């Protein structure tokens, strides 16, 4: 799908919605439905997430993306202005409200209702970390998936439940990716990760620890740990271990070194320590990993 401007996107969405198959029947097993709306202040547009139906035992998601105009989304005592390019994901039922205030000239948007249970559960959990409101890049995969689902719902429909479920999970993955990049902007994140990776590799075969790392940044251990989490979303100790594991996997694939030597070269106490950590991350032994990767 080509990248469109907001005005072009709204014309496209309206034309898709108005040309939809009005005879299509959505049953209780339907996983994705959606629509397009253009509201004005005189409409009294107001939704209370605890008064619009829904069963707490079987919640669903409203994923709403603004094309033009603006509205307000409120949850947890915080209100957000939802402008073009911004979306919210609301779990129904839950304590939230979205509405169009009198100050807004209009509010045009497309929305999807997602009912796949695992997708609903996982996005609801992720919102606790990333928040409900998200600015979606025009050229990002999340918007592409969202608009593709909107188009499919109103044109061909999904060929079977498997395709519909696949689309639900595609939206979940791209939501998580976009939310993660919004919370931890890529340039700063990648710069810090590259610096810490270089720190870890330069100190092999020593393990290198967070205390030494924090000194290079002129911070206390706790101060650097907070900084690292704020920028990357990761724990520094875990990332240092990951870098050493990556080097261990490289040696397993591209060398004939025994496990004891690989452990010594990558900062692990011994072969048993390497095996324990390796199994925790990859769910198989280093020896089995080597055999699978080499095809022997």
């Amino acid at each position: 799908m080509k990248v469109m401007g907001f005005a072009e996107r709204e014309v496209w969405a309206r034309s898709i919605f108005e040309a939809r198959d009005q005879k299509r029947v959505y049953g209780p097993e339907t996983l994705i439905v959606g629509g397009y709306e253009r509201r004005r202040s005189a409409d009294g547009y107001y939704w209370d997430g605890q008064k619009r139906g829904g069963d707490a035992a079987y919640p669903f998601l409203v994923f709403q993306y603004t094309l033009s105009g603006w509205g307000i989304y409120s949850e947890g005592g915080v209100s957000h202005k939802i402008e073009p390019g911004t979306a919210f994901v609301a779990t129904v039922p839950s304590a939230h409200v979205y509405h169009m205030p009198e100050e807004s000239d209009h509010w045009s948007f497309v929305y999807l209702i997602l009912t796949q249970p695992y997708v609903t559960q996982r996005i609801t959990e992720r919102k606790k970390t990333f928040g409900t409101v998200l600015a979606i890049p025009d050229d990002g995969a999340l918007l592409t998936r969202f608009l593709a689902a909107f188009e499919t719902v109103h044109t061909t429909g999904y060929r079977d439940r498997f395709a519909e479920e696949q689309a639900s999970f595609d939206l979940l993955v791209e939501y998580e990716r976009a939310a993660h990049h919004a919370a931890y902007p890529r340039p700063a994140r990648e710069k810090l990760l590259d610096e810490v990776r270089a720190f870890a590799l330069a100190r092999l075969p020593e393990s290198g620890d967070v205390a030494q790392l924090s000194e290079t940044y002129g911070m206390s251990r706790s101060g650097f740990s907070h900084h690292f989490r704020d920028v990357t979303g990761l724990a520094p100790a875990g990332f240092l271990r990951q870098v050493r594991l990556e080097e261990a996997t490289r040696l397993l694939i591209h060398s004939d070194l025994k496990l004891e030597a690989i452990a010594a070269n990558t900062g692990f106490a011994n072969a048993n320590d390497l095996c324990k950590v390796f199994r925790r991350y990859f769910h198989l032994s280093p020896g089995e990993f080597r055999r699978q990767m080499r095809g022997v």
Side-chain angles (χ1 to χ4, degrees):
M1 182 177 294
K2 72 172 185 175
V3 176
M4 296 180 280
F6 288 116
E8 185 182 8
R9 194 173 295 140
E10 181 165 4
V11 170
W12 172 85
R14 185 172 62 247
S15 65
I16 291 288
F17 186 68
E18 290 177 348
R20 70 194 186 281
D21 183 356
Q22 300 276 13
K23 298 178 181 178
R24 183 171 297 155
V25 176
Y26 297 104
E29 298 301 312
T30 301
L31 299 178
I32 307 176
V33 298
Y36 160 83
E37 295 186 27
R38 183 179 179 90
R39 294 286 183 170
R40 297 189 179 279
S41 56
D43 296 339
Y45 184 69
Y46 185 96
W47 282 106
D48 185 326
Q50 292 181 310
K51 298 179 180 179
R52 61 176 301 176
D55 184 340
Y58 304 99
F60 61 87
L61 299 172
V62 177
F63 192 162
Q64 187 161 305
Y65 172 81
T66 295
L67 298 166
S68 65
W70 60 278
I72 297 291
Y73 182 92
S74 302
E75 185 174 349
V78 179
S79 294
H80 303 268
K81 187 176 183 180
I82 312 299
E83 299 179 290
T86 305
F88 65 79
V89 185
T91 304
V92 180
S94 70
H96 68 269
V97 168
Y98 53 96
H99 71 285
M100 184 180 163
E102 292 183 0
E103 297 83 0
S104 175
D105 173 68
H106 74 281
W107 191 10
S108 294
F109 50 83
V110 287
Y111 65 88
L112 297 175
I113 295 177
L114 310 176
T115 64
Q116 206 286 335
Y118 178 75
V119 171
T120 298
Q121 175 192 359
R122 182 147 168 170
I123 290 182
T124 298
E125 284 297 313
R126 291 296 185 268
K127 289 194 303 176
K128 296 176 183 177
T129 300
F130 298 126
T132 295
V133 175
L134 181 66
I136 302 182
D138 283 352
D139 58 351
L142 176 57
L143 184 59
T144 298
R145 295 286 189 188
F146 181 90
L147 296 179
F150 171 83
E151 181 175 25
T152 300
V153 164
H154 295 302
T155 54
T156 61
Y158 291 99
R159 65 181 180 274
D160 54 35
R161 184 179 175 85
F162 298 105
E164 191 175 20
E165 196 153 42
Q166 178 68 60
S168 298
F169 278 92
D170 287 343
L171 283 165
L172 164 65
V173 171
E174 296 307 336
Y175 162 80
E176 290 193 339
R177 191 196 312 275
H180 184 82
H181 288 162
Y184 309 108
R186 185 174 294 175
R189 184 176 190 271
E190 294 302 322
K191 179 176 183 295
L192 184 55
L193 291 178
D194 286 346
E195 290 172 354
V196 173
R197 183 179 288 106
F199 167 91
L201 293 175
R203 281 157 181 76
L204 292 177
E206 301 300 320
S207 62
D209 61 23
V210 180
Q212 294 173 319
L213 179 58
S214 62
E215 288 178 4
T216 68
Y217 285 86
M219 300 181 185
S220 67
R221 180 186 177 115
S222 62
F224 178 78
S225 294
H226 286 301
H227 170 68
F228 192 82
R229 282 184 181 275
D230 288 344
V231 174
T232 70
L234 303 171
F239 183 70
L240 289 172
R241 188 183 307 113
Q242 177 184 321
V243 172
R244 292 189 287 119
L245 269 177
E246 289 171 356
E247 181 63 10
T249 61
R250 187 186 70 80
L251 293 174
L252 284 166
I253 297 170
H254 299 293
S255 82
D256 294 319
L257 292 173
K258 295 187 178 300
L259 290 185
E260 196 67 49
I262 292 176
N265 278 304
T266 53
F268 291 93
N270 49 48
N272 286 337
D273 182 36
L274 172 60
C275 287
K276 181 175 67 175
V277 176
F278 200 94
R279 282 184 179 276
R280 188 186 312 148
Y281 277 80
F282 297 104
H283 306 290
L284 75 168
S285 70
E288 181 60 28
F289 174 84
R290 173 178 264 172
R291 285 190 291 275
Q292 290 186 15
M293 295 302 294
R294 290 185 171 188
V296 297

